[in-house]
Amino acid sequence: MHHLVPAVGAINAARSDFNWGALRSGQRLGDCPIRFDPILRRVQPPDAVRGEIARTMFYMRDTYGFRLSRQDEKLYAVWNNADPPDAWEIERNRRIRRLQGKGNRYVEDYRTL
C-alpha cells in the first residue's frame, strides 16, 4: 500500500510509465503543477509531494528490490531532504503499518540522506 496513492485519471494517464525526474520545461495539464516531457519520457512532480515520492521509491527498492540508478538515488535524496514527512504522511504510514504489518522506515525514522 505504500506505493498506492489516489490520482487524477487524466494526469495518471498522461504520466503513463514515464520516470520521475527534474525538468527545466515541459507540458502541464491545466492548473496542476506537474510537468511532463513526452520526448524524455520524464515527469517532474510538484514540490509538495517530491519527498513522499522519494521515500516511496526508497521503500520499493529496499523491500522489493526495485532498481534505482545512481542518478535516481541522488535525485530522491535531494527530494527527501527538501520535503520532510508531514503530519498526513506520518499518519498514512501508521495506518498502512497497522493494516499490512510493515511501515516505511524512511517515514518512521526520517533523516536527511
Side-chain angles (χ1 to χ4, degrees):
M1 292 177 66
H2 289 288
H3 72 290
L4 298 174
V5 295
V8 175
I11 294 170
N12 193 48
R15 179 180 176 247
S16 182
D17 62 349
F18 295 0
N19 290 324
W20 297 114
L23 296 172
R24 294 174 197 241
S25 63
Q27 302 173 2
R28 293 187 187 261
L29 289 178
D31 294 334
C32 183
I34 196 168
R35 286 186 180 175
F36 302 86
D37 187 321
I39 295 169
L40 295 175
R41 297 183 56 79
R42 187 169 298 147
V43 178
Q44 178 177 291
D47 292 344
V49 297
R50 290 180 188 168
E52 288 96 318
I53 290 168
R55 287 181 287 279
T56 297
M57 298 303 286
F58 287 133
Y59 171 86
M60 295 298 287
R61 178 197 63 193
D62 294 353
T63 305
Y64 300 105
F66 190 83
R67 293 185 183 200
L68 299 177
S69 68
R70 286 184 199 255
Q71 181 180 354
D72 284 341
E73 287 185 356
K74 288 179 183 178
L75 176 66
Y76 297 148
V78 169
W79 287 1
N80 172 73
N81 298 347
D83 180 28
D86 60 16
W88 170 243
E89 187 179 2
I90 293 166
E91 174 62 19
R92 179 178 182 274
N93 182 72
R94 187 187 66 75
R95 292 178 187 188
I96 292 170
R97 173 182 275 289
R98 187 176 66 230
L99 291 171
Q100 68 182 42
K102 183 173 176 91
N104 182 340
R105 72 180 181 96
Y106 293 94
V107 176
E108 294 174 345
D109 302 320
Y110 176 76
R111 62 182 173 86
T112 58
L113 302 174

